[in-house]
Amino acid sequence: MEQAFKTIGIAFLGLLQDVGGTVILLGRIARSLKELPRTMKLTLFQMEQIGLGSIPLVLVTSLFVGAVAAVQAAYQFQDYVPMRFLGTVVGKSVILELGPVLTALVVGGRVSASIAAELGTMRVTEQIDAMEMLAIDPVRYLVLPRMVAALIMLPVLTIFSDFLAITGGMVVAKVSIGVSTATFVEGLRLFFYVEDVISGLLKTVAFGGIIALMGCYNGFRTYGGAEGVGRSTMHAVVSSCLLILITNYFLATVLFRIIFYRGT
Amino acid sequence: MSADSFIECRGVWKSFHRNAVLRGVDLDVERGTTLVILGQSGCGKSVLLKHFVGLLRPDRGSVAVDGEDIGALDRKNLFRIRMRFGMVFQGAALFDSMTVGENVCLALREHTGKSEEEILEIGIRKLRLVGLDGVLDKKPAELSGGMKKRVGIARAIAMDPACVLYDEPTTGLDPIMADTINDLIKKLNDELDITSVVVTHDIQSAYKVADQIAMLHDGAIIFKGTPKEVRKSDNEFIRRFTRGYAAGSVAAG
């Protein structure tokens, strides 16, 4: 019994430490924002790494997600809903949820792991201490460019993903369901609201921040050699995926139940 | 306390997970001298070294650099103090995503308004000073252990620091390369007239480069003196350490 309380207590203290550490890191990032012009070159490099580097992954994921969305929708429509609404359902589900969330999850896995492993290795090989010794703030030099790049590139990747997923759905609709492209596009335009696109993209800005923050925080707190780098990488991926899903619910509530709510 | 101390540690305590590594360290590093901190592996030498520049903060006690208590400084002022230091890390700690040239010139690019030509010229000059030529565009992964250490030294002296800290500079090197690094430390001290602190467990290296030797044992400095005084010491632990006996009486050994 005592052991159980001890374990719960240690886990709770660890959680508090992580929350506190993340908030402190966020504060340091905010304070280093004024130095952003000095880090433009590094930021552009990170945008290439996070954005361009993720394109193959997003391409495959989005095409197949759109395709399966069309197949699933058609299966549920049979005999009940006219197929001219196929484009509407695929478009809505991709723009509101599938595009932003799945892009964030796959890019989050790739990017947060890569950031945590890189910064974690720098921590255990004393490269971050070496940077401190050169009087260079590691938050400004390492974290800020990754954070800004992720905040910018996630919405860009999501636009790309939305387009590809809808294309994937449209191809499957024509080839295997027998819905013409014209009908699909007509359905797509039905109930199309710009607010849906904006809210989907707003969510991805938050997801981008989560991905970079979790990668950097876990990378910075790495200790214990190769084992520690592995542990940090795992924590970065798990925490960013969980936080994306949890944040998604709260953002969806704020955006669709409050800000863009069309009900009376 | 010496009037000409560059670094002053007073009653420094540091624990990690309830394990007290430093237990009230008092130590002065005199300006313009080379102090070697000797001690067994894991006795807290590197921990002490990191306290000199605020990479670690003491649980109790104080560290002052040039009379300024660094525990009371904010980040900006701590960076101002660190600009006066160069540090050579145990594993060299070169930035592996950068070339040798970028490593050596990074601080110059960040902190000086010098032109790219001037920066490169300084970089090449510092690399020549440590006996390296034509490695500017190489990545750290392409270098041997000794070359990495020397690039680490070139990076540490790029900004002409007042004090260079060496963390186990000869560990992991063959005896010839270790001696080359020792010669280099001596040469830099003579040519650049800087204060140096060398942390090592290599007694030959200590005798070669030190003006003063401090022995760290059980979390405290148990002895400080010249290499000659170390050789003459009748302290049981120092005699065992300098002669390499695991336990028991030296005479019996």
Side-chain angles (χ1 to χ4, degrees), chain A:
Chain A
M1 191 66 179
E2 190 189 328
Q3 187 59 38
F5 277 119
K6 202 175 170 185
T7 310
I8 293 167
I10 289 170
F12 183 67
L13 285 177
L15 181 69
L16 281 183
Q17 195 181 9
D18 285 342
V19 172
T22 310
V23 171
I24 289 169
L25 182 59
L26 259 178
R28 286 182 64 188
I29 296 169
R31 275 201 301 277
S32 66
L33 266 175
K34 60 181 183 296
E35 307 256 19
L36 188 59
R38 278 179 76 193
T39 57
M40 273 327 283
K41 205 174 146 191
L42 293 165
T43 306
L44 287 173
F45 176 74
Q46 288 303 325
M47 284 169 75
E48 186 190 330
Q49 296 286 305
I50 294 170
L52 281 181
S54 299
I55 280 181
L57 186 64
V58 172
L59 190 140
V60 175
T61 312
S62 307
L63 275 176
F64 282 92
V65 162
V68 85
V71 170
Q72 290 285 2
Y75 170 70
Q76 290 175 64
F77 279 10
Q78 50 190 338
D79 302 332
Y80 302 108
V81 183
M83 284 298 169
R84 67 190 175 91
F85 290 116
L86 191 62
T88 315
V89 168
V90 170
K92 282 273 179 194
S93 50
V94 163
I95 289 169
L96 288 173
E97 280 302 319
L98 294 177
V101 175
L102 285 175
T103 303
L105 288 177
V106 295
V107 173
R110 175 183 177 271
V111 171
S112 63
S114 139
I115 292 176
E118 186 179 357
L119 299 191
T121 306
M122 288 185 77
R123 170 63 78 197
V124 298
T125 55
E126 296 185 306
Q127 290 179 55
I128 292 179
D129 281 348
M131 196 163 274
E132 289 264 4
M133 278 310 298
L134 298 177
I136 297 169
D137 182 3
V139 171
R140 197 263 299 167
Y141 200 87
L142 299 170
V143 179
L144 185 63
R146 285 164 173 81
M147 175 58 87
V148 173
L151 288 174
I152 295 171
M153 292 321 287
L154 251 286
V156 173
L157 284 169
T158 303
I159 292 170
F160 181 66
S161 165
D162 286 352
F163 176 76
L164 284 168
I166 290 170
T167 308
M170 197 158 63
V171 170
V172 166
K174 185 173 171 61
V175 173
S176 81
I177 303 167
V179 175
S180 73
T181 305
T183 309
F184 188 91
V185 171
E186 189 193 327
L188 192 62
R189 294 173 70 171
L190 213 62
F191 307 114
F192 179 87
Y193 302 115
V194 176
E195 296 97 302
D196 293 352
V197 180
I198 293 171
S199 56
L201 295 181
L202 277 178
K203 287 200 293 186
T204 61
V205 176
F207 298 158
I210 289 170
I211 292 166
L213 193 62
M214 288 301 103
C216 293
Y217 171 70
N218 284 289
F220 263 47
R221 66 192 281 273
T222 304
Y223 62 93
E227 191 191 355
V229 174
R231 191 173 45 232
S232 292
T233 308
M234 180 192 69
H235 282 159
V237 175
V238 171
S239 57
S240 60
C241 289
L242 286 179
L243 281 176
I244 284 168
L245 293 172
I246 294 167
T247 310
N248 185 44
Y249 165 71
F250 288 106
L251 284 178
T253 305
V254 171
L255 289 166
F256 305 128
R257 301 292 305 165
I258 301 170
I259 298 177
F260 295 131
Y261 188 58
R262 278 186 292 269
T264 50

Side-chain angles (χ1 to χ4, degrees), chain B residues 11 21 42 57 61 68 70 72 80 91 98 100-101 106 135-136 145 147 168 186 190 196 212 219-220 233 251:
Chain B
V21 179
R57 304 260 181 168
E68 209 171 348
I70 62 168
R80 175 177 55 78
M98 300 180 194
V100 166
L106 182 62
V135 293
L136 217 56
M147 287 167 93
E168 306 271 9
K186 272 190 83 68
D190 296 341
S196 300
Q212 295 265 302
S233 171

Side-chain angles (χ1 to χ4, degrees), chain B residues 3-22:
Chain B
D4 206 23
S5 292
F6 186 66
I7 303 168
E8 295 160 26
C9 289
R10 291 290 169 269
V12 170
W13 281 74
K14 184 72 180 176
S15 300
F16 295 99
H17 305 291
R18 293 184 192 168
N19 174 30
V21 179
L22 302 179

Side-chain angles (χ1 to χ4, degrees), chain B residues 83-235:
Chain B
M83 298 270 271
R84 304 184 65 194
F85 284 87
M87 185 159 178
V88 181
F89 288 85
Q90 194 170 348
L94 301 180
F95 306 119
D96 41 27
S97 60
M98 300 180 194
T99 63
V100 166
E102 287 166 342
N103 264 282
V104 176
C105 298
L106 182 62
L108 294 162
R109 288 200 175 100
E110 286 286 321
H111 301 303
T112 68
K114 292 184 193 299
S115 69
E116 195 54 28
E117 289 78 31
E118 283 176 290
I119 288 172
L120 267 181
E121 193 194 311
I122 295 171
I124 291 168
R125 202 168 64 233
K126 299 294 179 187
L127 282 167
R128 283 199 181 129
L129 201 60
V130 299
L132 290 173
D133 220 341
V135 293
L136 217 56
D137 296 322
K138 285 194 190 299
K139 282 287 184 86
E142 299 171 62
L143 306 178
S144 69
M147 287 167 93
K148 280 183 192 166
K149 281 267 163 76
R150 283 189 278 171
V151 174
I153 295 173
R155 183 177 69 182
I157 59 170
M159 294 283 286
D160 298 322
C163 177
V164 180
L165 310 177
Y166 299 86
D167 189 3
E168 306 271 9
T170 56
T171 300
L173 301 178
D174 65 76
I176 296 170
M177 183 50 72
D179 204 46
T180 309
I181 297 289
N182 289 334
D183 285 341
L184 187 56
I185 294 171
K186 272 190 83 68
K187 179 181 148 188
L188 292 177
N189 293 343
D190 296 341
E191 286 185 14
L192 306 177
D193 191 26
I194 50 180
T195 307
S196 300
V197 182
V198 183
V199 152
T200 187
H201 56 252
D202 178 351
I203 189 72
Q204 295 312 320
S205 173
Y207 285 150
K208 185 152 188 172
V209 302
D211 295 317
Q212 295 265 302
I213 293 177
M215 178 68 78
L216 183 66
H217 182 57
D218 279 342
I221 299 293
I222 57 165
F223 175 92
K224 189 183 170 198
T226 63
K228 200 171 167 184
E229 287 166 340
V230 172
R231 282 194 180 94
K232 284 184 182 166
S233 171
D234 53 8
N235 179 295

